[in-house]
Amino acid sequence: MNNFENVPHNDQTDDTTVDYNQYPDASGHFGIHGGRFVSETLMAALEELETLYYQVKQDPAFWQEYHNDLVNYVGRPTPLYHAKRLSDEIGGAQIYFKREDLNHTGAHKVNNTIGQALLAKMSGKKRIIAETGAGQHGVATATIAARLGLECIIYMGADDVERQKMNVYRMRLLGAKVVAVESGSRTLKDAMNEAMRDWVTNVDTTYYIIGTVAGPHPYPLLVRDFQAIIGKEARLQHLEKTGKLPDALVACVGGGSNAIGLFYEFLNDTDVKMYGVEATGDGIETGRHSAPLAAGRVGVLHGNRTYLMADDDGQILETHSISAGLDYPGVGPEHSFLKDVKRVEYVGCTDKEALHGFHEVTRKEGIIPALESSHAVAYALQLAKTMSPEQSIIVNMSGRGDKDLHSVMKAEGIEL
Amino acid sequence: MTRIESTFETLKAQNKKALIPYVMAGDPSPNSFVDLLHGLVKHGADMIEVGLPFSDPMADGPTVALAGERALAGGTSTHQALAMVKKFREQDSSTPIILMGYLNPIEIIGYEAFIALCHESGVDGVLVVDLPPAESGNFVERLAAHDINKIFLLSPTTLPERRKQVMTHCGGYIYYVSLKGVTGSASLDTQAVGEQVQAIKQETNLPICVGFGIRDGQSAAAIGQYADGVIVGSELVKNFSGLSHTSRAEDIATAQANIMTKMDELRQALDALSA
């Protein structure tokens, strides 16, 4: 597994015999990616969480409770909506939105926090910490903590605190303490560093709810499993509506939890094409972007091996995206693996293209998408044009855009 | 025998405890760093841990994290850090140097290239905070082939079974993290550390050095009763706070002098144990 002679890069070939459900392997690896790269103090907590999760993974009662919460508290299943007006206008493939924006708290993030909160409860820990970029994971965590009566601390980059004021206020209303992280680039990666530091210090009493499919094993596994509900529903809904599987799936990729959530159930359906859309910011060529799969290299950050944006000395590069939720220099290890085996095609949209997608969907469908989701939308609009009206695309509408109005107004020079 | 092993043999023969200061390579300026290393030796360092600056030091508290930011701002890369060690080696062929850092810079440079650089620069030990034994493949053996020890951490959360497992990979010395938390944390429970160190001693012949939370002669002596050595980082590094690679040489010299005063205090406290 770990032959340091050649840490392989993206030179693996297309392998249609891969059973995607067997990843991660027993040691938490997705091919060369994933694993558990943390300081010794956290090892026991991760092993404990792994043991607990492998137990509950087999326990129908656990999943029953999880699904009850999803139905009665979150409002699932979310609809699969046919964006007919948009599709007609393009004249290409039919576009369907998986409406994760209709979940309680406004994004897919809550699927994972509900699941991990159950794990926290079972582990007997009374203090919850989380990191957040755009604030959606922070809001979802603060919400669940309020519901369960747990202490909650949310780490957020100081720049993100500034551009996501409304979500910061929501978290505070919910009783969470929001800590603005001033170090480094003052965005999501620094929030994650600070959450790790807190966890190391308070590991006996604290459960760390990681918000994306990154971090040390078993987080990429369990977050994926909790988000897989998106694809399970979407698959059934699409079959019901059209009698066939979709031709393509499109989702934005920062850490990549909404994308894995949509993709996972379809991975072994090799006729379904998948596109993960990274934030190319001002354009890959400018260096101001958040696209480690397109322009990164394999390295180790935040407990896992994956594609990263790093310089020749291995220092992590600063990222840029108009969307705080995509402003992260790494990506979940399963995405890195899916890139290497060429199961998913990773593409990009710039800030400008995302804004175009944002306005198109708002005006044509009456849905204001999150800037994260707007990246997926923007790519789907381009993709649909290359397809026929008999074909279909499912786009993950991962979250709603209320939180981003401030960023959109700023980008467009609008004052109220 | 590696330089670390022979240093511990000598110390044992003299009934002395190892004093191991930690400083960040290139902090506060690349130019002042080699002098700092020589100064530390003059003021009682038996070995030195040299931090490799990393942009995302997850296990470090604010004092060491800021030291890393200063070093990076002054342009200290992993290659330059190793060049500084090499320069130190020109005048000091006996004091072991242990690199302490994070995996990503090593991974990006490449393991083989990194090991070659370490060998060429006279590095004696490598401690990678986020590289546990299970992920380290044949790194330990390949370092050993160049007489370089791979140091691993044990912590208060390490369970006995895992401890046994980790120790099969250890070389040089065992770095026992005295508390749950990041570097520079407070609340050191000396008695608990003593118990742990004694439990570890039952299972290994390797020297055990304790770090995190040692801030003065008193705490060094308290830990030194049980351990074979103490590692002191944040308490030294904090003297550089507010400085940078553009600071006046006099200001850097004053900060270095304060570090040496601290070193003298630590050395005396440890030597009093064997008196």
Side-chain angles (χ1 to χ4, degrees):
Chain A
M1 165 64 52
N2 286 310
N3 179 3
F4 291 127
E5 205 88 52
N6 314 295
V7 170
H9 287 234
N10 55 339
D11 53 359
Q12 292 172 26
T13 47
D14 202 346
D15 183 356
T16 48
T17 62
V18 177
D19 174 7
Y20 294 96
N21 300 118
Q22 66 182 332
Y23 294 96
D25 64 19
S27 59
H29 293 87
F30 300 87
I32 64 160
H33 303 284
R36 187 180 282 161
F37 297 86
V38 294
S39 65
E40 179 60 29
T41 311
L42 293 178
M43 278 299 170
L46 289 167
E47 283 173 1
E48 197 181 305
L49 179 59
E50 182 188 14
T51 306
L52 174 65
Y53 183 65
Y54 279 117
Q55 262 167 28
V56 303
K57 203 169 154 62
Q58 313 299 329
D59 179 4
F62 175 84
W63 294 103
Q64 187 60 50
E65 192 176 356
Y66 169 72
H67 282 288
N68 275 344
D69 278 354
L70 289 185
V71 170
N72 297 307
Y73 189 66
V74 175
R76 299 202 74 92
T78 58
L80 183 70
Y81 168 73
H82 183 200
K84 191 165 183 313
R85 203 165 155 235
L86 205 59
S87 308
D88 286 350
E89 186 188 88
I90 291 166
Q94 303 304 311
I95 295 175
Y96 290 84
F97 292 145
K98 180 59 177 164
R99 296 291 308 276
E100 293 302 296
D101 58 317
L102 293 179
N103 284 320
H104 179 45
T105 73
H108 72 290
K109 292 290 185 187
V110 73
N111 303 326
N112 167 48
T113 55
I114 287 274
Q116 288 202 54
L118 290 178
L119 293 175
K121 215 167 76 176
M122 294 174 80
S123 67
K125 296 188 171 161
K126 302 269 186 263
R127 183 173 177 272
I128 301 278
I129 57 169
E131 85 295 337
T132 195
Q136 289 307 104
H137 175 55
V139 168
T141 304
T143 299
I144 304 309
R147 179 167 170 250
L148 297 177
L150 301 171
E151 185 188 354
C152 181
I153 320 284
I154 306 290
Y155 291 94
M156 192 166 181
D159 282 2
D160 291 339
V161 167
E162 184 55 35
R163 59 178 161 173
Q164 296 292 342
K165 281 181 188 155
M166 205 48 96
N167 269 344
V168 172
Y169 183 57
R170 284 167 81 192
M171 288 182 259
R172 288 186 174 142
L173 276 178
L174 289 159
K177 183 179 164 202
V178 180
V179 180
V181 178
E182 300 281 351
S183 62
S185 60
R186 300 154 48 107
T187 58
L188 180 55
K189 81 172 171 76
D190 310 290
M192 198 151 180
N193 290 336
E194 210 55 39
M196 290 267 192
R197 291 182 181 122
D198 179 315
W199 200 30
V200 159
T201 309
N202 302 293
V203 65
D204 294 335
T205 58
T206 300
Y207 185 100
Y208 179 14
I209 301 188
I210 291 183
T212 191
V213 284
H217 179 62
Y219 282 103
L221 160 70
L222 61 89
V223 176
R224 176 252 272 161
D225 287 355
F226 292 136
Q227 292 294 1
I229 186 72
I230 302 171
K232 278 180 199 152
E233 286 177 8
R235 196 172 187 280
L236 284 175
Q237 289 166 325
H238 194 275
L239 280 169
E240 243 167 51
K241 278 185 202 291
T242 69
K244 64 183 183 68
L245 290 177
D247 296 282
L249 308 176
V250 181
C252 65
V253 177
S257 69
N258 90 84
I260 281 290
L262 178 63
F263 296 165
Y264 187 63
E265 192 69 8
F266 293 91
L267 283 175
N268 292 316
D269 299 320
T270 44
D271 290 340
V272 179
K273 289 196 165 137
M274 300 184 185
Y275 301 89
V277 187
E278 292 190 295
T280 49
D282 291 345
I284 293 277
E285 69 288 353
T286 66
R288 282 175 48 78
H289 60 82
S290 305
L293 290 166
R297 59 214 313 175
V298 176
V300 170
L301 180 70
H302 294 151
N304 60 127
R305 181 178 286 122
T306 192
Y307 283 94
L308 294 174
M309 289 172 53
D311 67 15
D312 290 341
D313 189 36
Q315 309 297 338
I316 305 302
L317 293 168
E318 294 212 354
T319 53
H320 165 79
S321 169
I322 190 170
S323 162
L326 301 180
D327 209 348
Y328 181 66
V331 61
E334 191 160 11
H335 287 292
S336 295
F337 170 69
L338 294 172
K339 172 191 160 80
D340 285 354
V341 298
K342 301 187 169 70
R343 177 63 187 97
V344 177
E345 193 177 327
Y346 291 91
V347 296
C349 279
T350 62
D351 288 353
K352 215 170 144 188
E353 289 166 328
L355 279 170
H356 171 73
F358 173 88
H359 287 299
E360 278 292 293
V361 174
T362 302
R363 293 296 292 272
K364 304 277 162 48
E365 296 292 348
I367 295 168
I368 302 179
L371 282 176
E372 290 87 344
S373 318
S374 300
H375 285 75
V377 165
Y379 185 76
L381 297 181
Q382 298 168 24
L383 179 67
K385 285 181 193 155
T386 68
M387 296 165 68
S388 76
E390 292 72 45
Q391 293 183 296
S392 62
I393 303 173
I394 298 178
V395 181
N396 203 4
M397 187 60 69
S398 55
R400 66 175 189 231
D402 311 37
K403 69 182 170 63
D404 291 324
L405 299 186
H406 177 75
S407 298
V408 173
M409 287 166 66
K410 197 174 158 204
E412 298 180 343
I414 297 162
E415 277 181 53
L416 280 187
Chain B
M1 197 186 293
T2 68
R3 210 161 3 213
I4 295 174
E5 288 158 3
S6 60
T7 301
F8 273 110
E9 274 207 354
T10 310
L11 287 167
K12 201 174 170 189
Q14 298 170 343
N15 190 29
K16 276 181 72 179
K17 303 292 181 179
L19 173 56
I20 312 177
Y22 166 97
V23 283
M24 178 68 75
D27 176 32
S29 80
N31 300 333
S32 63
F33 188 70
V34 177
D35 284 344
L36 172 67
L37 295 181
H38 289 305
L40 291 169
V41 175
K42 212 175 287 170
H43 289 265
D46 297 299
M47 309 181 203
I48 303 174
E49 284 190 1
V50 172
L52 296 175
F54 179 50
S55 53
D56 293 76
M58 290 175 303
D60 286 305
T63 304
V64 172
L66 285 170
E69 285 185 20
R70 289 193 294 271
L72 288 171
T76 301
S77 65
T78 306
H79 281 92
Q80 276 153 332
L82 281 154
M84 292 172 201
V85 173
K86 193 175 181 180
K87 188 137 186 264
F88 167 78
R89 225 3 119 228
E90 286 170 10
Q91 287 174 46
D92 186 323
S93 57
S94 61
T95 310
I97 297 285
I98 297 101
L99 299 181
M100 184 166 181
Y102 293 82
L103 184 57
N104 198 55
I106 298 172
E107 183 121 321
I108 300 287
I109 289 169
Y111 291 82
E112 207 48 56
F114 175 75
I115 292 169
L117 272 172
C118 287
H119 176 65
E120 198 187 308
S121 314
V123 168
D124 303 289
V126 173
L127 195 171
V128 187
V129 177
D130 54 352
L131 181 62
E135 300 283 1
S136 61
N138 56 3
F139 192 42
V140 175
E141 290 74 23
R142 304 220 338 239
L143 282 167
H146 292 285
D147 273 344
I148 300 171
N149 291 123
K150 175 76 174 74
I151 317 290
F152 285 100
L153 301 169
L154 290 177
S155 96
T157 59
T158 310
L159 298 171
E161 195 161 313
R162 180 178 166 81
R163 187 163 76 203
K164 280 202 185 81
Q165 213 187 344
V166 173
M167 283 194 306
T168 61
H169 298 266
C170 288
Y173 57 92
I174 288 167
Y175 188 134
Y176 181 72
V177 175
S178 61
L179 42 80
K180 295 163 202 161
V182 292
T183 55
S185 307
S187 74
L188 186 63
D189 181 344
T190 313
Q191 200 191 332
V193 173
E195 282 165 17
Q196 284 287 320
V197 169
Q198 262 151 2
I200 299 168
K201 276 195 171 167
Q202 303 296 311
E203 295 168 16
T204 182
N205 292 321
L206 283 174
I208 299 160
C209 299
V210 175
F212 285 42
I214 296 167
R215 46 192 64 228
D216 50 22
Q218 199 187 349
S219 49
I223 296 296
Q225 296 174 65
Y226 309 104
D228 300 295
V230 299
I231 300 148
V232 184
S234 301
E235 201 56 34
L236 303 177
V237 165
K238 75 175 189 192
N239 288 288
F240 291 135
S241 66
L243 298 176
S244 77
H245 63 286
T246 58
S247 291
R248 296 185 318 159
E250 299 93 291
D251 295 335
I252 293 176
T254 305
Q256 287 197 358
N258 291 337
I259 288 177
M260 300 314 158
T261 306
K262 195 70 179 182
M263 284 292 292
D264 292 338
E265 177 193 337
L266 294 161
R267 183 76 265 173
Q268 278 164 23
L270 287 179
D271 287 349
L273 290 173
S274 48

